[in-house]
Amino acid sequence: MEECILLVGGESREQMREGLRKAGYRVIHLYSAQEAVDRVDNLEFQLLLLDTELPSLEADRLLLGINDEIRRIPVIMITVSWDADKIVQCFDRGAHDVVAGEVPEKVLLARIKNLLLIFRGANQLNSRIRVADLTIDRGLWIVKRGEERIGLTAKEFELLWYLALHVNQACSRQQILKHVWRHEFIADTNVVDVYIRHLRLKIDYGYKHKLIRTVRGVGYLLQEPAAGNSDSTP
C-alpha cells in the first residue's frame, strides 16, 4: 500500500513535497494548519510533517485531533533552526521527531521510514480488541459478533473502538465527543445518543447479552457480561 504523508506548511515546503513524492510517498500538502484542522477527519494518512512557523493554536488543535486514544499518527515537526529551546518545545507539544528546514533529503526520508516502521509495529500489536463474543479489528477494519460480520460506518467504528478501549468503564458524553468527534463537536448536541442507537441496532439487536449499556446521568459503556448473567436490560 502506498503510504501517505500529510505535509502542513507554506510554499517554502513545496520542494520537500516533491522530494517525498519522488521517494514514492503519496503527499497531501495543505498550506495552513486551520485547513488541516478542518479536513483531518476526512483524510487517511500515516505520518504528519508539520511546519512550526504556522500559528501555534491551530497547529496544536491539529495535534490534538490526530493523537488521542483512537488515532495515533507519528509527527515530525519542521523548525527553521536547531535552537535547543525550540526543539524541546516541539517535543513538549507532541512531536515524535524534529528536523531543521534544511535537513538533507536522505536524512528526512530515513527519519520518516523509521517512524513509520515503529508505529506500524505498535499499531499491529494493539489493533484487535475482544469483548465477550465481539471482536473489533482496527487493522482490518472488521467487526464481528460471534461469526457474524457487522458493517459499520467510519464514525460508528471509532465510537465502538473508543468504548472498547474503556471496556467496563463508564464514558461520559463529553469524553466521547472529545475523543471521537474531536474538534467537530458542539457541547449540547445529541449526536452521541443517536450513534449509540445505531450501534445497538447493529451490535446488540437479536443477541441475549447486550454489551452497550447506559449509565444514567453519565453516558455509556461497553460491558462484558458477568459469568452466568442473562440480563438483557440496555
Side-chain angles (χ1 to χ4, degrees):
M1 181 182 70
E2 185 183 35
E3 289 174 302
C4 180
I5 294 173
L6 175 60
L7 171 61
V8 183
E11 293 181 0
S12 63
R13 302 304 172 198
E14 290 179 351
Q15 184 176 349
M16 182 177 287
R17 175 192 67 198
E18 294 310 309
L20 293 170
R21 286 176 175 168
K22 289 178 182 178
Y25 293 106
R26 187 165 62 88
V27 182
I28 301 170
H29 187 186
L30 302 180
Y31 289 85
S32 76
Q34 184 58 57
E35 183 183 8
V37 168
D38 293 340
R39 295 182 56 189
V40 67
D41 284 337
N42 297 314
L43 299 175
E44 287 295 329
F45 57 96
Q46 284 71 52
L47 182 140
L48 170 65
L49 270 173
L50 178 62
D51 196 329
T52 60
E53 295 307 297
L54 296 171
S56 60
L57 179 60
E58 288 81 2
D60 287 342
R61 290 179 64 201
L62 174 61
L63 292 170
L64 176 65
I66 68 168
N67 276 320
D68 59 17
E69 293 173 274
I70 294 178
R71 193 174 187 179
R72 293 290 295 167
I73 301 290
V75 176
I76 298 178
M77 286 192 181
I78 310 164
T79 67
V80 294
S81 68
W82 283 111
D83 178 75
D85 290 337
K86 185 130 188 170
I87 292 171
V88 171
Q89 185 182 59
C90 287
F91 283 114
D92 287 342
R93 290 171 63 192
H96 301 99
D97 199 356
V98 182
V99 298
E102 301 305 317
V103 62
E105 186 175 291
K106 64 180 181 180
V107 174
L108 176 62
L109 293 174
R111 289 173 181 251
I112 288 172
K113 181 180 179 181
N114 182 58
L115 273 182
L116 288 172
L117 286 171
I118 291 171
F119 273 70
R120 190 183 304 131
N123 288 335
Q124 287 172 352
L125 287 173
N126 300 285
S127 65
R128 180 178 292 185
I129 296 177
R130 187 174 178 88
V131 179
D133 60 346
L134 175 70
T135 302
I136 312 164
D137 191 318
R138 188 166 179 80
L140 299 175
W141 210 261
I142 290 175
V143 175
K144 287 184 177 181
R145 185 92 194 249
E147 294 302 315
E148 182 182 355
R149 187 163 172 172
I150 300 168
L152 299 180
T153 67
K155 201 57 84 174
E156 289 168 352
F157 189 100
E158 286 196 11
L159 174 55
L160 182 63
W161 182 259
Y162 181 75
L163 294 175
L165 286 173
H166 301 84
V167 64
N168 298 325
Q169 300 175 33
C171 300
S172 72
R173 290 172 178 83
Q174 285 298 98
Q175 288 174 320
I176 293 170
L177 284 168
K178 177 181 177 182
H179 292 282
V180 179
W181 275 266
R182 292 180 283 274
H183 58 270
E184 299 175 4
F185 75 83
I186 301 172
D188 60 353
T189 183
N190 69 339
V191 66
V192 174
D193 306 290
V194 171
Y195 272 79
I196 287 290
R197 286 199 295 271
H198 293 171
L199 278 183
R200 279 180 164 150
L201 285 172
K202 295 181 178 183
I203 300 298
D204 281 340
Y205 182 77
Y207 289 90
K208 180 179 180 181
H209 294 294
K210 311 302 181 187
L211 301 177
I212 301 173
R213 320 287 291 197
T214 299
V215 182
R216 304 288 181 193
V218 179
Y220 302 97
L221 82 159
L222 191 68
Q223 185 177 57
E224 290 182 304
N229 184 5
S230 61
D231 178 25
S232 60
T233 304

